[in-house]
Amino acid sequence: MKQTILSLLLALSPLLSPAEDGHALWLRYKPCGKANIIAPQGGATLQTAVDELKRYWQGSELKLILNPRLKDDDGFLYNGDSICSHSELGLLYGAYEALRLQAQEAYPRLGGYTAPKFSRRILNHWDNLDGTIECGYAGKSIFFSANLKGQEWAGRIREYGRANASVGINGSVLNNVNTSPKVLTTQYIDTVCTIANILRPYGIKVYLSVNFGSPKALGYTKTADPLDETVKKWWKKKADEIYQRIPDFGGFLVKANAEGQPGPFDYGRTHAEGANMLADVLALHGGIVMWRSSVYGAKHKGEDRVMQAVSEFKDLDGLFKSNVILQSKNGPLDFQPREPYAPIFDNMKKTQQAVEFQITQEYTGQGKHLVFLAPMWKEFFSFVAPDSLKAIAGVSNIGDDINWCGHPFSQANWYAFGRLAWNPSFSSDFIAQEWIGQTFGNEVNSYILADMMTTSREACVDYMMPLGLHHLFASQHHYGPEADGVKAEYPLEWCPIPYHKAAADGIGFDRSSKGTNAVSQYREPYRSLYDNLATCPDEYLLWFHHVPWDYKLHNGDMLWDELCALYYRGIEQVVSYQKLWNELRPQIDQERWEHVNRLLALQLENAKECRDYVLRYFQQFSKMPLKYNFTGVSYMPVQPAQLNHKQP
Ligand code: GCU
């Protein structure tokens, strides 16, 4: 009998405990509904703050106070009894801070007033108008959706707004930088207007990526020359139309003369002339232009790709209008697991700049690997002072998958982007622990989990491309390695061989003063540090230097041995994550535990594939034995024919 009841309960248990699909993100407040929230009269943003607190605040009373004497910078003062801010948005951020601390059973932070470091904290969505997402690994677009309709669509966007506001994100570029000009047609402006209305109470401005050739491509003008009067007129009219519908529209993001996109060069004009023309029409309405510097293959085609941004932009320093922000990727190549910082940040002293991070894990395992990116972004800030930047942008990893981001831990990268945009001095560990407490509950051993998260980026570097190697990825998908790949249909700069330059004499790209001299674009002390083989940090060695296979590293080990060891170290780390995840099993709901467990197994398989593929390939040149001393992972030699990297 006992047995029967037990098996009945077991059979029913999935029905008894609600399914955990990850949709709730880190916003798992328990409804309470007994708090007295005292607040002044206000608009929709204040009302949102009041509603959230009324529903979820577990204390008896909380006062919201608008104080015009405080700074107008989205900041707030929260002391456990009241939240004070200059603005309604500051109060909303304060409300989420109060709920965040409540969820973690933590006290209000000492130190009083807190305000975001960057005034613009913007997600860049690479969503296409047909609903697909470039480098999206979690389903289709939530904005240009074929899957979500009517109320469900609006509801998802509202949830998106709420999640962003809870971490202080205040802008969204809704569409891909490789955009169709059609986004500027009335049909899409209607959609954008509806989205803007839904997001407004959450303090989020919408922006659009625009195609520089739009007026011509849409058939209104004969040219897209930024100095042509008909072109200027068209853009002005378009901006007026947008602002009439969306008075707080943020502005345009532009990818021009990069990877085949049209731009001012097509008409013999400079990036500054192109950006300023758009800046003029937006300035009338308080809008801005975010002009991307990540260009290559245009004016300086043939030059080392990592140098082209500085070559194209440095003479334009000081020529951009005051509402133009130059937006650059954190590294000079393309969101690799590790890159040195992009030297454009050293070269544009009189230009407002923004950094673009990639939250979506294009080169770090996409929606399949547990790789927490906060340490990578913190590393960037150790070279480029946040104070020198005007804005921060993150290429979003959000799609219409029920759990938003694919990998349950990829949500942490969205969260971390918001938190670092607020305060870049938060440590990776602090952010991880905050996220864990809210996402998995306070019963979970957050120390173990945070340790796993904060070491995961380095593990990824190890098993993908250690010691400054870069762009070893297959050109079609950037998911796995293809060290030997050269495809006739792709430009050479998309293929790995020109980057690793492995040959009998050694490996690595000579960017020292004896090579392409990319080091000359860096400020001191980095210029000399990277130029000099003896002082170049090992983690950037093969980025800046071509060295023999038996080169002695700073730790005394031979390059080839260290390369092998690091691939193994990366794998060992993933094995250790599996063990830790197993230990945490009793503390995590079954659904998310199993999901992550499956993904960790895939991550391990992929890491081994990377090692096998890359080391086997390089071994043809090094002609040295694979040497390793690790325990726990047994190396299974793979025949080249078996190497078949799985696509996601
Ligand atoms: C990468 C990415 C492209 C993207 C480009 C960019 O190359 O693979 O999909 O368009 O970066 O940032 O413009």
Side-chain angles (χ1 to χ4, degrees), residues 73-124:
D73 58 1
D74 297 347
F76 61 84
L77 195 72
Y78 166 57
N79 65 6
D81 299 318
S82 66
I83 304 169
C84 255
S85 176
H86 177 98
S87 66
E88 293 193 12
L89 186 57
L91 291 180
L92 180 63
Y93 291 152
Y96 285 121
E97 172 82 349
L99 294 174
R100 176 165 38 243
L101 294 174
Q102 175 179 272
Q104 296 168 86
E105 297 161 7
Y107 295 107
R109 286 186 237 291
L110 298 174
Y113 192 78
T114 164
K117 186 72 172 177
F118 304 97
S119 55
R120 294 188 194 255
R121 308 171 294 277
I122 303 176
L123 286 185
N124 288 189

Short mmCIF file of all heavy atoms in Angstrom, two decimals, residues 73-124:
data_model
loop_
_atom_site.label_atom_id
_atom_site.label_comp_id
_atom_site.label_asym_id
_atom_site.label_seq_id
_atom_site.Cartn_x
_atom_site.Cartn_y
_atom_site.Cartn_z
N ASP A 73 20.17 62.10 -12.39
CA ASP A 73 21.06 61.14 -13.05
C ASP A 73 20.58 59.70 -12.90
O ASP A 73 21.38 58.77 -12.93
CB ASP A 73 22.48 61.27 -12.49
CG ASP A 73 22.51 61.04 -10.98
OD1 ASP A 73 21.44 60.75 -10.39
OD2 ASP A 73 23.59 61.12 -10.38
N ASP A 74 19.28 59.52 -12.72
CA ASP A 74 18.67 58.19 -12.55
C ASP A 74 19.05 57.52 -11.23
O ASP A 74 18.73 56.36 -11.01
CB ASP A 74 19.06 57.21 -13.70
CG ASP A 74 18.57 57.66 -15.06
OD1 ASP A 74 17.73 58.58 -15.11
OD2 ASP A 74 19.02 57.08 -16.06
N GLY A 75 19.75 58.25 -10.37
CA GLY A 75 20.20 57.64 -9.12
C GLY A 75 19.12 57.70 -8.04
O GLY A 75 18.05 58.31 -8.21
N PHE A 76 19.41 57.08 -6.90
CA PHE A 76 18.44 57.07 -5.79
C PHE A 76 19.16 56.82 -4.47
O PHE A 76 20.31 56.38 -4.45
CB PHE A 76 17.37 56.00 -6.02
CG PHE A 76 17.94 54.61 -6.11
CD1 PHE A 76 18.21 53.87 -4.96
CD2 PHE A 76 18.25 54.05 -7.35
CE1 PHE A 76 18.77 52.60 -5.04
CE2 PHE A 76 18.81 52.78 -7.44
CZ PHE A 76 19.07 52.05 -6.28
N LEU A 77 18.42 57.10 -3.42
CA LEU A 77 18.89 56.85 -2.08
C LEU A 77 17.89 55.90 -1.45
O LEU A 77 16.69 56.19 -1.40
CB LEU A 77 18.86 58.19 -1.34
CG LEU A 77 19.60 58.34 -0.05
CD1 LEU A 77 21.10 58.39 -0.32
CD2 LEU A 77 19.18 59.65 0.61
N TYR A 78 18.36 54.76 -0.97
CA TYR A 78 17.43 53.80 -0.35
C TYR A 78 17.98 53.42 1.02
O TYR A 78 19.15 53.04 1.14
CB TYR A 78 17.32 52.55 -1.25
CG TYR A 78 16.66 51.38 -0.56
CD1 TYR A 78 15.38 51.51 -0.02
CD2 TYR A 78 17.31 50.16 -0.44
CE1 TYR A 78 14.78 50.44 0.64
CE2 TYR A 78 16.71 49.09 0.21
CZ TYR A 78 15.46 49.24 0.75
OH TYR A 78 14.87 48.19 1.40
N ASN A 79 17.14 53.54 2.05
CA ASN A 79 17.65 53.26 3.39
C ASN A 79 16.84 52.21 4.14
O ASN A 79 16.97 52.07 5.36
CB ASN A 79 17.70 54.56 4.20
CG ASN A 79 16.30 55.11 4.41
OD1 ASN A 79 15.31 54.46 4.07
ND2 ASN A 79 16.21 56.29 4.99
N GLY A 80 16.01 51.51 3.44
CA GLY A 80 15.20 50.48 4.11
C GLY A 80 13.79 50.96 4.43
O GLY A 80 12.86 50.17 4.48
N ASP A 81 13.63 52.29 4.64
CA ASP A 81 12.30 52.84 4.94
C ASP A 81 11.77 53.69 3.80
O ASP A 81 10.58 53.85 3.63
CB ASP A 81 12.35 53.75 6.17
CG ASP A 81 12.79 53.00 7.39
OD1 ASP A 81 12.33 51.85 7.55
OD2 ASP A 81 13.62 53.55 8.15
N SER A 82 12.72 54.29 3.05
CA SER A 82 12.28 55.17 1.97
C SER A 82 13.24 55.11 0.79
O SER A 82 14.40 54.70 0.93
CB SER A 82 12.20 56.62 2.48
OG SER A 82 13.49 57.06 2.80
N ILE A 83 12.70 55.50 -0.35
CA ILE A 83 13.51 55.64 -1.56
C ILE A 83 13.34 57.08 -2.01
O ILE A 83 12.22 57.57 -2.12
CB ILE A 83 13.04 54.69 -2.68
CG1 ILE A 83 13.03 53.24 -2.20
CG2 ILE A 83 13.93 54.83 -3.92
CD1 ILE A 83 12.33 52.28 -3.15
N CYS A 84 14.46 57.74 -2.27
CA CYS A 84 14.44 59.14 -2.67
C CYS A 84 15.13 59.29 -4.00
O CYS A 84 16.22 58.72 -4.19
CB CYS A 84 15.31 59.93 -1.70
SG CYS A 84 14.43 60.87 -0.56
N SER A 85 14.56 60.07 -4.89
CA SER A 85 15.25 60.30 -6.16
C SER A 85 14.78 61.61 -6.77
O SER A 85 13.70 62.12 -6.44
CB SER A 85 14.96 59.15 -7.13
OG SER A 85 15.54 59.43 -8.38
N HIS A 86 15.58 62.10 -7.69
CA HIS A 86 15.18 63.28 -8.45
C HIS A 86 14.03 62.93 -9.40
O HIS A 86 13.19 63.74 -9.71
CB HIS A 86 16.39 63.78 -9.26
CG HIS A 86 16.08 64.96 -10.14
ND1 HIS A 86 16.37 66.25 -9.78
CD2 HIS A 86 15.51 65.04 -11.36
CE1 HIS A 86 15.98 67.07 -10.73
NE2 HIS A 86 15.46 66.36 -11.71
N SER A 87 14.06 61.66 -9.89
CA SER A 87 13.11 61.34 -10.98
C SER A 87 12.29 60.09 -10.66
O SER A 87 12.65 59.27 -9.81
CB SER A 87 13.90 61.08 -12.26
OG SER A 87 14.69 59.92 -12.10
N GLU A 88 11.21 59.95 -11.41
CA GLU A 88 10.37 58.76 -11.26
C GLU A 88 11.18 57.51 -11.62
O GLU A 88 11.04 56.46 -11.00
CB GLU A 88 9.16 58.86 -12.20
CG GLU A 88 8.21 59.96 -11.80
CD GLU A 88 6.88 59.86 -12.53
OE1 GLU A 88 6.60 58.82 -13.17
OE2 GLU A 88 6.10 60.83 -12.45
N LEU A 89 12.03 57.64 -12.63
CA LEU A 89 12.82 56.48 -13.04
C LEU A 89 13.78 56.07 -11.93
O LEU A 89 13.96 54.88 -11.65
CB LEU A 89 13.57 56.78 -14.35
CG LEU A 89 14.32 55.60 -14.95
CD1 LEU A 89 13.40 54.41 -15.21
CD2 LEU A 89 15.02 56.00 -16.26
N GLY A 90 14.36 57.06 -11.26
CA GLY A 90 15.24 56.77 -10.12
C GLY A 90 14.47 56.01 -9.04
O GLY A 90 14.99 55.08 -8.42
N LEU A 91 13.20 56.39 -8.84
CA LEU A 91 12.39 55.68 -7.84
C LEU A 91 12.12 54.25 -8.28
O LEU A 91 12.13 53.32 -7.47
CB LEU A 91 11.07 56.43 -7.60
CG LEU A 91 11.19 57.78 -6.89
CD1 LEU A 91 9.81 58.43 -6.72
CD2 LEU A 91 11.87 57.64 -5.53
N LEU A 92 11.89 54.08 -9.59
CA LEU A 92 11.66 52.71 -10.08
C LEU A 92 12.92 51.86 -9.88
O LEU A 92 12.84 50.72 -9.41
CB LEU A 92 11.26 52.75 -11.57
CG LEU A 92 10.99 51.38 -12.21
CD1 LEU A 92 9.80 50.68 -11.54
CD2 LEU A 92 10.71 51.51 -13.71
N TYR A 93 14.07 52.44 -10.20
CA TYR A 93 15.33 51.69 -9.98
C TYR A 93 15.51 51.39 -8.49
O TYR A 93 15.97 50.32 -8.11
CB TYR A 93 16.53 52.49 -10.50
CG TYR A 93 16.60 52.62 -12.01
CD1 TYR A 93 17.22 53.71 -12.62
CD2 TYR A 93 16.06 51.64 -12.85
CE1 TYR A 93 17.31 53.83 -14.00
CE2 TYR A 93 16.14 51.76 -14.23
CZ TYR A 93 16.76 52.85 -14.80
OH TYR A 93 16.84 52.97 -16.17
N GLY A 94 15.13 52.35 -7.66
CA GLY A 94 15.22 52.14 -6.21
C GLY A 94 14.29 51.03 -5.76
O GLY A 94 14.64 50.22 -4.88
N ALA A 95 13.11 50.97 -6.36
CA ALA A 95 12.15 49.91 -6.01
C ALA A 95 12.74 48.54 -6.34
O ALA A 95 12.67 47.60 -5.55
CB ALA A 95 10.84 50.12 -6.76
N TYR A 96 13.38 48.44 -7.51
CA TYR A 96 13.98 47.15 -7.88
C TYR A 96 15.17 46.82 -6.98
O TYR A 96 15.42 45.66 -6.67
CB TYR A 96 14.37 47.13 -9.36
CG TYR A 96 13.15 46.99 -10.27
CD1 TYR A 96 12.86 47.96 -11.22
CD2 TYR A 96 12.31 45.90 -10.15
CE1 TYR A 96 11.74 47.84 -12.03
CE2 TYR A 96 11.19 45.77 -10.96
CZ TYR A 96 10.90 46.75 -11.90
OH TYR A 96 9.80 46.62 -12.70
N GLU A 97 15.87 47.85 -6.55
CA GLU A 97 16.99 47.60 -5.62
C GLU A 97 16.44 47.04 -4.30
O GLU A 97 16.97 46.07 -3.74
CB GLU A 97 17.76 48.91 -5.38
CG GLU A 97 18.81 48.84 -4.29
CD GLU A 97 20.14 48.26 -4.74
OE1 GLU A 97 20.22 47.70 -5.85
OE2 GLU A 97 21.11 48.36 -3.97
N ALA A 98 15.35 47.66 -3.84
CA ALA A 98 14.76 47.19 -2.58
C ALA A 98 14.31 45.73 -2.72
O ALA A 98 14.55 44.91 -1.83
CB ALA A 98 13.57 48.09 -2.21
N LEU A 99 13.69 45.41 -3.85
CA LEU A 99 13.20 44.03 -4.05
C LEU A 99 14.37 43.05 -4.24
O LEU A 99 14.31 41.91 -3.80
CB LEU A 99 12.26 43.98 -5.26
CG LEU A 99 10.94 44.76 -5.07
CD1 LEU A 99 10.13 44.78 -6.37
CD2 LEU A 99 10.11 44.16 -3.94
N ARG A 100 15.43 43.55 -4.90
CA ARG A 100 16.61 42.69 -5.11
C ARG A 100 17.23 42.31 -3.76
O ARG A 100 17.56 41.16 -3.51
CB ARG A 100 17.63 43.47 -5.96
CG ARG A 100 18.94 42.77 -6.20
CD ARG A 100 19.78 43.38 -7.32
NE ARG A 100 19.74 44.81 -7.40
CZ ARG A 100 19.25 45.50 -8.44
NH1 ARG A 100 18.79 44.86 -9.50
NH2 ARG A 100 19.24 46.81 -8.44
N LEU A 101 17.35 43.31 -2.88
CA LEU A 101 17.95 43.04 -1.57
C LEU A 101 17.03 42.16 -0.74
O LEU A 101 17.48 41.26 -0.04
CB LEU A 101 18.25 44.36 -0.86
CG LEU A 101 19.32 45.20 -1.54
CD1 LEU A 101 19.46 46.55 -0.86
CD2 LEU A 101 20.66 44.48 -1.55
N GLN A 102 15.73 42.41 -0.85
CA GLN A 102 14.76 41.59 -0.12
C GLN A 102 14.87 40.12 -0.56
O GLN A 102 14.88 39.21 0.26
CB GLN A 102 13.36 42.12 -0.38
CG GLN A 102 12.25 41.30 0.22
CD GLN A 102 10.89 41.91 -0.08
OE1 GLN A 102 10.41 42.77 0.67
NE2 GLN A 102 10.28 41.50 -1.16
N ALA A 103 14.98 39.92 -1.89
CA ALA A 103 15.04 38.55 -2.41
C ALA A 103 16.28 37.82 -1.92
O ALA A 103 16.29 36.61 -1.79
CB ALA A 103 15.02 38.58 -3.94
N GLN A 104 17.33 38.59 -1.67
CA GLN A 104 18.56 37.95 -1.21
C GLN A 104 18.70 37.99 0.29
O GLN A 104 19.75 37.67 0.83
CB GLN A 104 19.76 38.68 -1.81
CG GLN A 104 19.82 38.60 -3.30
CD GLN A 104 20.86 39.57 -3.79
OE1 GLN A 104 22.04 39.26 -3.86
NE2 GLN A 104 20.43 40.79 -4.07
N GLU A 105 17.64 38.43 0.95
CA GLU A 105 17.67 38.57 2.41
C GLU A 105 18.85 39.42 2.84
O GLU A 105 19.55 39.11 3.81
CB GLU A 105 17.69 37.18 3.07
CG GLU A 105 16.43 36.39 2.76
CD GLU A 105 16.57 34.89 2.97
OE1 GLU A 105 17.61 34.46 3.48
OE2 GLU A 105 15.63 34.17 2.60
N ALA A 106 19.12 40.47 2.07
CA ALA A 106 20.26 41.35 2.37
C ALA A 106 19.75 42.71 2.84
O ALA A 106 18.62 43.09 2.57
CB ALA A 106 21.13 41.51 1.14
N TYR A 107 20.61 43.43 3.54
CA TYR A 107 20.25 44.76 4.03
C TYR A 107 20.56 45.81 2.97
O TYR A 107 21.37 45.58 2.08
CB TYR A 107 21.02 45.07 5.31
CG TYR A 107 20.64 44.18 6.43
CD1 TYR A 107 21.51 43.19 6.86
CD2 TYR A 107 19.39 44.29 7.03
CE1 TYR A 107 21.15 42.33 7.89
CE2 TYR A 107 19.02 43.43 8.05
CZ TYR A 107 19.90 42.45 8.48
OH TYR A 107 19.53 41.60 9.47
N PRO A 108 19.93 46.99 3.08
CA PRO A 108 20.28 48.06 2.14
C PRO A 108 21.79 48.29 2.20
O PRO A 108 22.38 48.24 3.27
CB PRO A 108 19.54 49.28 2.67
CG PRO A 108 18.49 48.75 3.56
CD PRO A 108 18.92 47.41 4.04
N ARG A 109 22.35 48.53 1.04
CA ARG A 109 23.80 48.73 1.02
C ARG A 109 24.16 50.05 1.69
O ARG A 109 23.48 51.04 1.51
CB ARG A 109 24.28 48.78 -0.44
CG ARG A 109 24.29 47.42 -1.07
CD ARG A 109 24.90 47.52 -2.45
NE ARG A 109 23.98 47.03 -3.47
CZ ARG A 109 23.62 45.78 -3.63
NH1 ARG A 109 24.05 44.85 -2.81
NH2 ARG A 109 22.80 45.43 -4.61
N LEU A 110 25.24 50.03 2.44
CA LEU A 110 25.69 51.28 3.03
C LEU A 110 26.30 52.13 1.93
O LEU A 110 26.65 51.63 0.88
CB LEU A 110 26.73 51.00 4.12
CG LEU A 110 26.19 50.16 5.29
CD1 LEU A 110 27.31 49.79 6.24
CD2 LEU A 110 25.11 50.94 6.03
N GLY A 111 26.42 53.38 2.16
CA GLY A 111 27.07 54.21 1.15
C GLY A 111 26.08 55.15 0.51
O GLY A 111 26.44 56.00 -0.28
N GLY A 112 24.82 55.00 0.86
CA GLY A 112 23.83 55.99 0.46
C GLY A 112 23.48 56.02 -0.99
O GLY A 112 23.10 55.01 -1.58
N TYR A 113 23.66 57.19 -1.57
CA TYR A 113 23.18 57.45 -2.92
C TYR A 113 23.90 56.59 -3.94
O TYR A 113 25.13 56.46 -3.92
CB TYR A 113 23.41 58.93 -3.21
CG TYR A 113 22.72 59.41 -4.47
CD1 TYR A 113 21.35 59.69 -4.45
CD2 TYR A 113 23.43 59.61 -5.65
CE1 TYR A 113 20.72 60.14 -5.59
CE2 TYR A 113 22.80 60.05 -6.79
CZ TYR A 113 21.44 60.32 -6.76
OH TYR A 113 20.82 60.76 -7.89
N THR A 114 23.15 56.00 -4.85
CA THR A 114 23.78 55.25 -5.94
C THR A 114 23.20 55.72 -7.27
O THR A 114 21.99 55.97 -7.37
CB THR A 114 23.61 53.72 -5.77
OG1 THR A 114 23.90 53.08 -7.02
CG2 THR A 114 22.20 53.33 -5.39
N ALA A 115 24.08 55.88 -8.26
CA ALA A 115 23.62 56.34 -9.58
C ALA A 115 24.42 55.59 -10.64
O ALA A 115 25.55 55.15 -10.38
CB ALA A 115 23.86 57.84 -9.72
N PRO A 116 23.85 55.43 -11.83
CA PRO A 116 24.57 54.68 -12.85
C PRO A 116 25.80 55.41 -13.37
O PRO A 116 25.79 56.63 -13.49
CB PRO A 116 23.54 54.50 -13.96
CG PRO A 116 22.51 55.56 -13.73
CD PRO A 116 22.52 55.87 -12.27
N LYS A 117 26.82 54.64 -13.70
CA LYS A 117 28.06 55.22 -14.22
C LYS A 117 27.85 55.79 -15.61
O LYS A 117 28.41 56.83 -15.96
CB LYS A 117 29.11 54.11 -14.27
CG LYS A 117 30.47 54.56 -14.66
CD LYS A 117 31.03 55.33 -13.51
CE LYS A 117 32.45 55.72 -13.59
NZ LYS A 117 32.82 56.52 -12.42
N PHE A 118 27.07 55.08 -16.42
CA PHE A 118 26.86 55.52 -17.81
C PHE A 118 25.43 56.05 -17.94
O PHE A 118 24.49 55.41 -17.47
CB PHE A 118 27.04 54.35 -18.78
CG PHE A 118 28.38 53.69 -18.65
CD1 PHE A 118 28.53 52.55 -17.89
CD2 PHE A 118 29.50 54.23 -19.28
CE1 PHE A 118 29.76 51.93 -17.75
CE2 PHE A 118 30.74 53.62 -19.15
CZ PHE A 118 30.87 52.47 -18.39
N SER A 119 25.30 57.18 -18.63
CA SER A 119 23.93 57.69 -18.74
C SER A 119 23.13 56.91 -19.79
O SER A 119 21.92 56.82 -19.70
CB SER A 119 23.94 59.18 -19.06
OG SER A 119 24.70 59.40 -20.22
N ARG A 120 23.82 56.33 -20.78
CA ARG A 120 23.09 55.48 -21.75
C ARG A 120 23.55 54.05 -21.59
O ARG A 120 24.73 53.75 -21.78
CB ARG A 120 23.33 55.98 -23.17
CG ARG A 120 22.72 57.36 -23.39
CD ARG A 120 22.78 57.79 -24.82
NE ARG A 120 22.51 59.21 -24.93
CZ ARG A 120 21.36 59.73 -25.37
NH1 ARG A 120 20.39 58.94 -25.76
NH2 ARG A 120 21.20 61.04 -25.44
N ARG A 121 22.60 53.18 -21.27
CA ARG A 121 22.87 51.76 -21.00
C ARG A 121 21.98 50.95 -21.94
O ARG A 121 20.82 50.70 -21.64
CB ARG A 121 22.56 51.48 -19.51
CG ARG A 121 23.29 52.48 -18.59
CD ARG A 121 22.86 52.40 -17.14
NE ARG A 121 21.48 52.81 -16.87
CZ ARG A 121 21.07 54.06 -16.71
NH1 ARG A 121 21.92 55.06 -16.80
NH2 ARG A 121 19.79 54.32 -16.47
N ILE A 122 22.55 50.59 -23.08
CA ILE A 122 21.69 50.22 -24.21
C ILE A 122 21.91 48.79 -24.69
O ILE A 122 23.05 48.36 -24.92
CB ILE A 122 21.99 51.19 -25.38
CG1 ILE A 122 21.78 52.64 -24.92
CG2 ILE A 122 21.12 50.88 -26.58
CD1 ILE A 122 22.14 53.67 -25.96
N LEU A 123 20.83 48.07 -24.88
CA LEU A 123 20.93 46.77 -25.54
C LEU A 123 20.84 46.97 -27.04
O LEU A 123 20.01 47.74 -27.53
CB LEU A 123 19.79 45.85 -25.10
CG LEU A 123 19.87 45.24 -23.71
CD1 LEU A 123 18.72 44.26 -23.50
CD2 LEU A 123 21.20 44.53 -23.47
N ASN A 124 21.68 46.27 -27.76
CA ASN A 124 21.61 46.28 -29.24
C ASN A 124 21.06 44.93 -29.65
O ASN A 124 21.68 43.89 -29.40
CB ASN A 124 23.00 46.43 -29.86
CG ASN A 124 23.58 47.82 -29.69
OD1 ASN A 124 24.62 48.13 -30.28
ND2 ASN A 124 22.96 48.68 -28.92
#
